[in-house]
């Protein structure tokens, strides 16, 4: 398998971007859920700083991901009813949108709150809004809402992937996770062709 | 219609109302009614002055996580006795309500008021006092003491003084180390998280304390 995507396989770039973003989003989510419960301390400030650094990394990787998706091609959809492909395509685009909007809303929230934004202690990012109490509240609500939308989309997306892998026994998941191999594919695929 | 020459009665009314208007204007002119404007140079020099918000400002600048931030105190009182001809006799008294801090960030201001920083509950008033000032460069310097968070340390104020029409303007700067006052001590002492150096700027519009000669 190569770096680039082909007609029937994801390339390593797409795979690496996918899983890197999955891991970072998971870490960011855990930190985000924990940090708002912390009482004022230097550790709380550090956890917030880490959450924000991870969020900005997700944003950067998502922008790369979108650029790559536009520049590259995606593998052909595996045989499936048209409605399934439509649902899959919709879910994927909504995942892209949510994963971009979530860190952006966080950036807005941080800016409207008049807090600094430093990337892993190395350099600072500018504010994207002036301090504004109304905007701060709106951005915070948006950040929370987008997070829960992302959770729902991820559950649907991962659930569908597992369904493809365990029930349909097709290559959908193993294409994105190359170390997995679906069991007994041959006879199942023959039956799929009749749908 | 042809223009008419006003009657004699109308002319008298016109003169009377013009005189009245001039009298009103003269009576309400600021120079005539404010006592301070008629104070002589000698009287101005020996005066005790006071200042406070909103005409005056007391601000500070710090840095946290790679970025500068500014704040100020909304409530403070200043009493100064100062004569540019005899700065060594000056006295300065500045009382600051620590809880009135405003750095344009709700969470940060709450933290600043908390026991880990200004501890405004236990130490509601910060106090800077100095006796005597000396000329330095094109301004002055006063060696004072600041009591903040219950701790007293030397803090020097460098300032410029201009007096004009019975008011005086003092613009000054000071620098202090927040850790010397245990503002953010222990786990908060890390300079990368919050810089130790804090710059203070003040712009005081001073008026004579009423009742002084």
């Amino acid at each position: 398998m190569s770096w680039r995507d082909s007609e029937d396989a994801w390339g390593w770039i797409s795979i690496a971007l996918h899983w890197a973003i999955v891991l970072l989003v998971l870490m960011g989510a855990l930190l985000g859920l924990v940090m708002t419960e912390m009482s004022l301390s230097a550790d709380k400030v550090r956890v917030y700083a880490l959450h924000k650094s991870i969020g900005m990394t997700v944003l950067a990787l998502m922008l790369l991901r979108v650029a790559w998706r536009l520049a590259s091609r995606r593998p052909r959809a595996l045989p499936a009813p048209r409605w399934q492909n439509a649902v899959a395509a919709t879910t994927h685009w909504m995942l892209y949108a949510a994963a971009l909007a979530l860190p952006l809303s966080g950036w807005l929230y941080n800016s409207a709150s008049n807090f600094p934004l430093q990337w892993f202690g190395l350099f600072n990012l500018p504010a994207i809004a002036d301090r504004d109490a109304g905007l701060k509240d709106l951005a915070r609500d948006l950040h929370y809402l987008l997070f829960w939308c992302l959770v729902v989309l991820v559950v649907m997306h991962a659930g569908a992937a597992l369904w493809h892998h365990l029930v349909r026994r097709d290559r959908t998941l193993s294409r994105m996770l190359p170390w997995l191999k679906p069991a007994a594919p041959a006879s199942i695929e023959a039956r799929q062709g009749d749908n | 219609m042809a223009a008419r020459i006003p009657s004699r009665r109308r002319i008298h009314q016109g003169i009377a109302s013009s005189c009245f208007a001039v009298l009103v204007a003269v009576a309400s002119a600021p120079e005539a009614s404010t006592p301070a404007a008629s104070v002589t140079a000698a009287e101005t020099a020996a005066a005790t002055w006071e200042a406070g918000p909103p005409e005056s400002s007391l601000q500070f600048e710090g840095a946290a996580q790679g970025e500068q931030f500014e704040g100020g105190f909304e409530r403070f009182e200043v009493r100064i006795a100062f004569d540019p001809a005899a700065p060594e006799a000056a006295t300065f008294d500045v009382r600051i309500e620590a809880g009135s801090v405003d750095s344009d960030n709700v969470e940060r201001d709450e933290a600043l008021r908390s026991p880990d920083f200004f501890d405004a509950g236990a130490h509601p008033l910060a106090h800077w006092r100095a006796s005597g000032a000396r000329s330095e460069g094109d301004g002055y310097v006063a060696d004072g003491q600041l009591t903040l968070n219950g701790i007293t340390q030397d803090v020097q104020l460098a300032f410029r003084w201009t007096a004009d029409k019975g008011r005086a303007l003092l613009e000054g700067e000071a620098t202090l180390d927040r850790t010397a006052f245990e503002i953010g001590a222990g786990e908060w002492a890390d300079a990368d998280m919050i810089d130790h150096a804090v710059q203070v700027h003040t712009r005081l519009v001073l008026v004579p304390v009423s009742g002084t000669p």
Side-chain angles (χ1 to χ4, degrees):
Chain A
M1 193 186 8
S2 79
W3 294 106
R4 321 196 89 243
D5 306 311
S6 71
E7 216 177 83
D8 50 24
W10 290 109
W12 281 113
I13 294 179
S14 294
I15 293 173
L17 281 170
H18 176 273
W19 293 110
I21 291 170
V22 166
L23 282 170
L24 288 169
V25 167
L26 273 172
M27 282 169 61
L30 279 168
L31 290 171
L33 290 166
V34 161
M35 71 193 195
T36 51
E37 302 299 310
M38 294 171 78
S39 49
L40 177 67
S41 68
D43 279 342
K44 181 177 183 178
V45 174
R46 289 192 191 100
V47 172
Y48 265 80
L50 187 57
H51 174 87
K52 296 191 289 195
S53 297
I54 288 173
M56 298 317 286
T57 312
V58 167
L59 180 62
L61 289 179
M62 276 306 300
L63 290 170
L64 277 174
R65 185 91 177 279
V66 169
W68 180 242
R69 172 62 40 252
L70 294 171
S72 178
R73 53 157 305 147
R74 58 153 295 151
R76 207 176 11 183
L78 293 163
R82 273 210 0 227
W83 70 265
Q84 266 185 38
N85 286 330
V87 168
T90 308
T91 313
H92 295 157
W93 285 119
M94 288 177 73
L95 275 167
Y96 273 85
L100 278 166
L102 181 61
L104 278 170
S105 65
W107 195 351
L108 191 64
Y109 181 23
N110 191 71
S111 301
S113 305
N114 198 22
F115 273 111
L117 185 56
Q118 202 174 46
W119 192 78
F120 293 107
L122 293 173
F123 59 83
N124 284 63
L125 289 152
I128 55 172
D130 287 331
R131 186 205 68 82
D132 183 294
L135 186 59
K136 173 185 174 178
D137 285 346
L138 179 69
R140 181 202 59 223
D141 291 344
L142 201 56
H143 195 59
Y144 281 34
L145 176 68
L146 284 165
F147 171 65
W148 292 112
C149 286
L150 186 63
V151 167
V152 167
L153 287 165
V154 164
V155 166
M156 286 170 58
H157 175 68
L162 285 169
W163 177 75
H164 274 281
H165 188 70
L166 298 170
V167 176
R168 303 281 289 176
R169 298 190 175 256
D170 63 26
R171 288 174 48 244
T172 304
L173 180 55
S174 56
R175 277 199 313 197
M176 191 49 100
L177 194 56
W179 297 280
L180 275 186
K181 298 240 182 292
S187 54
I188 309 293
E189 262 167 24
R191 251 184 282 142
Q192 274 178 350
D194 295 332
N195 285 345
Chain B
M1 194 178 354
R4 293 196 293 150
I5 298 167
S7 68
R8 192 166 293 171
R9 190 147 149 261
R10 288 240 179 262
I11 294 171
H12 287 166
Q13 278 176 351
I15 293 169
S17 45
S18 305
C19 288
F20 184 69
V22 169
L23 280 171
V24 168
V26 167
S28 57
E31 285 75 26
S33 56
T34 307
S38 59
V39 166
T40 64
E43 286 166 316
T44 308
T48 308
W49 309 84
E50 58 185 9
E55 309 82 28
S56 300
S57 65
L58 178 59
Q59 319 225 263
F60 57 87
E61 243 172 58
Q65 291 178 69
E67 221 166 271
Q68 285 216 297
F69 68 91
E70 281 171 6
F73 292 94
E74 305 280 277
R75 289 184 291 281
F76 57 93
E77 281 169 11
V78 178
R79 279 244 165 171
I80 293 176
F82 185 76
D83 174 0
E88 63 282 353
T91 60
F92 302 80
D93 192 296
V94 181
R95 286 159 206 264
I96 305 151
E97 208 181 292
S100 74
V101 64
D102 181 1
S103 70
D104 225 8
N105 177 322
V106 170
E107 290 85 0
R108 179 166 57 213
D109 292 340
E110 258 173 51
L112 285 173
R113 283 188 286 269
S114 78
D116 283 345
F117 292 87
F118 290 154
D119 203 358
H123 306 290
L125 273 183
H127 201 176
W128 184 76
R129 271 164 292 202
S131 297
R134 60 180 189 280
S135 278
E136 202 158 286
D138 57 355
Y140 305 88
V141 150
D143 291 309
Q145 295 200 304
L146 174 67
T147 303
L148 177 63
N149 195 24
I151 293 168
T152 303
Q153 297 282 340
D154 292 336
V155 171
Q156 183 185 84
L157 179 75
F159 65 95
R160 294 163 299 287
W161 177 277
T162 47
D164 184 36
K165 287 197 182 60
R167 293 195 154 208
L169 180 68
L170 183 153
E171 291 170 294
E173 288 86 33
T175 308
L176 50 91
D177 177 345
R178 66 173 179 87
T179 59
F181 296 91
E182 291 178 19
I183 308 256
E187 55 167 349
W188 295 103
D190 181 7
D192 286 332
M193 187 180 290
I194 309 169
D195 261 27
H196 288 186
V198 175
Q199 319 294 330
V200 177
H201 304 275
T202 187
R203 187 178 185 278
L204 303 174
V205 175
L206 294 146
V207 295
V209 172
S210 40
T212 55

